[in-house]
Amino acid sequence: MTKLFWLQFLFSFPVLLAGQNLIPNPGFEQCDKCDNRGFKELSIGFGANDPADWTAATYGTPDFQSVSPHTGKKHGGFFVGFPKFEYLTNHFTACLKKDAVYQFSFWISPDTRSPNYIVDEIGVYIQQGPCEFKQPDPLKQLTPVYQSDDGDFIGKSGYRLLRFEYTAKGGEDHFVVGRFRNLGLGDTTFVGTKRPANPSSEPVYYFVDDFEMIQISQNPVIDLIPDVITLCPGEKKQLTIPSPYNQGAINWSTGQKTATIDVPEINTVYVEVTLNDACKTIIKDSTHIIIRPLAQIQIIGSDSICEGGSTLLTATCDSCLELSWNSLLVTMPGEYTVTAKTNCGEQTVSKKIVLYDDHGQIAIDGVDEICTGDKKELTAHCDRCTDLSWTKLEISQPGEYTVTAKTICKEITATKKIGTANQQIDSLVRFPNVVFPNGQDINHSFKPVIKKGEEGRIMNFTFTIFNRWGQTLIKTKVKEDEWQPDPGLPMDTYLYIGEIEYQDCNGIKKNGFKGTVTLVR
């Protein structure tokens, strides 16, 4: 909500409150310079008090009197024609605010000591600056803001209240009261008991008392800047003080002093403008800044799709006005985009759907051969599968063994064929034919290579290695032993012979073996 503050400083008087009388010493009660009769004659710039309140506006000399007050003990008075014209002037305790409505009132009565003539058209003039007119004549050059009616003669029944409303132009701080026209035919009326021989020399004097000037309307609302500004992400807007207020001294809460600023990304920005009027009026205003975040748009659903399958995508948004789609059935891989209308324009979000990599691989580990009646175990595993039909399986005879598994998109199987254990020794034990003691990364030594998982079938084992002259280089009965050629042995071909006793499907068998191995350095 825009808030408007008026602060006015004039004559060191307090800031105006609603309903406060703006006229100092309105009933003439304070008179520091009055004589013992309660009388003081005023002149231009010189009053009855210091600092001055009531003074004369022209060379005429109005007065403080104590003859017939409306209230209290004192009142004012001035001549309104025939011998001379006099005017009372005073200031307001605060400048008048532009477009504010005020009520001005005072009480007026003809002098009870010489009530032969009374007049009409008593008026008030309001201006900015002191009312000092160095002339003895009526203030005909001024057009009063108020004047009693022509022919309405004031004073037939004592004090009378004159009251009017005034809409300020802004900055007015002084006023004058009196008659602003020469007396002519029809401007006076005789109310005495005996007409004077020379009416033109007959004085016409009026008493005035109990002046009041109050504000009767609310302060005018001046919107310097909008109440609310909305910023979208990345959007730039400006705040500008309108004319004529941009001619004043401007102070933003951001520290800037120019008439136009970029809208900052903060909750509230304030501005204070000091006008260049006589009152140095201060206007304050504020703008609440709403910073809209980006709309939170989501596409919910799987990132992949099975070949020949489908997936449902759902679009959601917390603050969107409209979505191009809310749900979408996808049957092909690709990039899918939803467009949203928001308070800040259009936003788009995309989701990429790929073909699911459905290449699950089942592996079955275990023996390749078995003797009927033996017990062996097969194990199954899969890196992209679920629900394997088995992970461990005990077998006791040759045959085909199948495992079933599920992937994201399909069901797959794997089969392992288990044969009858081969009775040939070659299927159980092998020997290298080359040794590289200090060369290759393999075969640094010579030893039997027993088929994995069949070590328990070896009952007894011996082998011997000879050189070409029949010398024994190693002889052992331990199948784990190995021949590590001595550094001094030459590169050559060496002979090995041996015997193995092993468990076959039909019982224990014994086989001999022989061969050659080449030493390479």
Side-chain angles (χ1 to χ4, degrees):
M1 177 180 179
T2 302
K3 296 181 178 179
L4 176 63
F5 301 87
W6 294 82
L7 302 176
Q8 299 175 318
F9 303 93
L10 183 66
F11 302 104
S12 301
F13 283 94
V15 177
L16 169 64
L17 300 177
Q20 177 182 339
N21 190 356
L22 297 181
I23 299 175
N25 199 16
F28 300 87
E29 294 303 309
Q30 181 180 350
C31 183
D32 297 339
K33 300 178 182 180
C34 281
D35 59 20
N36 54 10
R37 299 170 299 166
F39 174 82
K40 173 61 180 176
E41 190 175 66
L42 310 178
S43 59
I44 295 176
F46 295 94
N49 300 296
D50 290 321
D53 37 57
W54 296 99
T55 61
T58 66
Y59 286 144
T61 56
D63 313 297
F64 270 61
Q65 297 273 7
S66 301
V67 177
S68 180
H70 175 250
T71 62
K73 296 180 178 181
K74 295 183 178 62
H75 58 89
F78 51 79
F79 286 103
V80 294
F82 295 145
K84 61 180 178 178
F85 285 81
E86 295 177 343
Y87 299 88
L88 277 168
T89 182
N90 201 344
H91 63 265
F92 299 127
T93 57
C95 293
L96 304 190
K97 297 184 284 290
K98 179 177 172 58
D99 298 327
V101 180
Y102 298 84
Q103 178 179 276
F104 191 106
S105 65
F106 64 100
W107 293 84
I108 185 167
S109 169
D111 187 345
T112 56
R113 297 168 299 181
S114 56
N116 284 333
Y117 290 94
I118 57 176
V119 300
D120 59 3
E121 298 179 309
I122 298 296
V124 177
Y125 179 74
I126 297 175
Q127 71 172 34
Q128 180 178 319
C131 298
E132 296 181 355
F133 303 94
K134 296 180 179 181
Q135 62 186 69
D137 303 323
L139 295 175
K140 295 181 295 184
Q141 71 271 30
L142 302 182
T143 301
V145 299
Y146 165 79
Q147 185 170 266
S148 63
D149 293 339
D150 183 15
D152 182 11
F153 298 100
I154 299 171
K156 292 181 180 180
S157 57
Y159 268 101
R160 177 178 171 184
L161 176 65
L162 297 182
R163 180 165 53 199
F164 64 93
E165 292 183 2
Y166 175 70
T167 301
K169 298 179 177 62
E172 299 97 314
D173 52 15
H174 285 76
F175 69 93
V176 182
V177 61
R179 196 174 198 283
F180 292 84
R181 294 175 52 194
N182 279 319
L183 291 176
L185 185 65
D187 289 331
T188 64
T189 186
F190 179 73
V191 293
T193 58
K194 182 180 180 181
R195 291 185 178 273
N198 185 13
S200 63
S201 64
E202 186 74 12
V204 181
Y205 192 89
Y206 270 86
F207 298 150
V208 288
D209 202 0
D210 295 332
F211 280 76
E212 184 179 63
M213 176 68 152
I214 59 173
Q215 182 180 342
I216 61 173
S217 72
Q218 294 295 325
N219 293 334
V221 175
I222 298 176
D223 278 328
L224 295 177
I225 50 181
D227 291 348
V228 178
I229 285 183
T230 300
L231 283 182
C232 292
E235 185 179 14
K236 298 294 184 183
K237 289 184 177 180
Q238 291 185 321
L239 289 170
T240 299
I241 304 298
S243 178
Y245 308 106
N246 57 2
Q247 302 302 312
I250 301 170
N251 285 289
W252 298 91
S253 57
T254 59
Q256 294 161 281
K257 299 183 181 299
T258 55
T260 298
I261 66 167
D262 291 332
V263 177
E265 293 187 3
I266 56 178
N267 289 334
T268 307
V269 64
Y270 302 90
V271 67
E272 178 181 290
V273 177
T274 303
L275 302 182
N276 293 323
D277 58 16
C279 302
K280 296 299 180 184
T281 303
I282 295 175
I283 306 174
K284 294 183 179 181
D285 204 353
S286 64
T287 291
H288 177 59
I289 300 168
I290 299 175
I291 303 173
R292 295 188 185 275
L294 283 171
Q296 298 300 309
I297 309 170
Q298 288 184 300
I299 300 178
I300 302 171
S302 175
D303 295 330
S304 57
I305 188 173
C306 296
E307 187 172 358
S310 64
T311 186
L312 183 67
L313 300 181
T314 302
T316 65
C317 181
D318 61 344
S319 58
C320 295
L321 305 176
E322 183 180 339
L323 292 171
S324 58
W325 52 266
N326 297 102
S327 61
L328 186 65
L329 186 65
V330 174
T331 59
M332 296 288 291
E335 190 166 352
Y336 294 87
T337 299
V338 62
T339 301
K341 292 181 179 180
T342 73
N343 289 316
C344 292
E346 287 192 347
Q347 288 180 227
T348 59
V349 171
S350 298
K351 185 178 183 70
K352 191 173 183 179
I353 307 298
V354 300
L355 194 63
Y356 187 75
D357 184 9
D358 197 28
H359 294 88
Q361 295 285 337
I362 302 176
I364 302 177
D365 296 329
V367 297
D368 296 322
E369 299 173 344
I370 190 173
C371 296
T372 300
D374 283 356
K375 290 184 178 181
K376 300 292 183 182
E377 185 178 76
L378 300 181
T379 59
H381 58 86
C382 182
D383 58 349
R384 296 183 183 178
C385 303
T386 59
D387 298 332
L388 285 164
S389 58
W390 54 265
T391 56
K392 292 184 179 181
L393 182 65
E394 188 179 86
I395 62 173
S396 59
Q397 61 184 12
E400 289 188 355
Y401 295 90
T402 300
V403 63
T404 302
K406 292 180 180 178
T407 67
I408 295 294
C409 299
K410 60 187 177 182
E411 186 174 275
I412 60 174
T413 61
T415 301
K416 185 176 178 70
K417 186 175 183 180
I418 307 299
T420 302
N422 198 318
Q423 298 180 7
Q424 300 298 319
I425 189 62
D426 291 349
S427 68
L428 184 61
V429 181
R430 295 179 181 275
F431 295 90
N433 59 7
V434 179
V435 176
F436 303 96
N438 49 10
Q440 301 291 332
D441 291 336
I442 59 173
N443 293 357
H444 284 178
S445 62
F446 177 84
K447 64 179 180 179
V449 180
I450 301 172
K451 187 175 181 181
K452 185 178 181 181
E454 303 292 338
E455 293 87 352
R457 293 176 61 193
I458 306 298
M459 311 300 292
N460 292 299
F461 180 86
T462 62
F463 80 89
T464 305
I465 297 179
F466 304 92
N467 63 15
R468 66 175 58 242
W469 293 283
Q471 291 179 308
T472 299
L473 302 179
I474 184 174
K475 185 175 183 179
T476 181
K477 293 182 179 182
V478 180
K479 62 181 180 292
E480 289 83 7
D481 281 352
E482 59 184 36
W483 174 52
Q484 183 72 46
D486 293 335
L489 282 177
M491 291 192 300
D492 204 346
T493 299
Y494 296 85
L495 175 68
Y496 63 88
I497 60 173
E499 186 179 73
I500 183 170
E501 188 177 347
Y502 63 97
Q503 176 71 50
D504 199 356
C505 291
N506 299 321
I508 297 176
K509 289 189 176 183
K510 185 183 293 186
N511 273 19
F513 58 86
K514 64 179 178 178
T516 60
V517 58
T518 301
L519 174 61
V520 178
R521 295 188 184 277

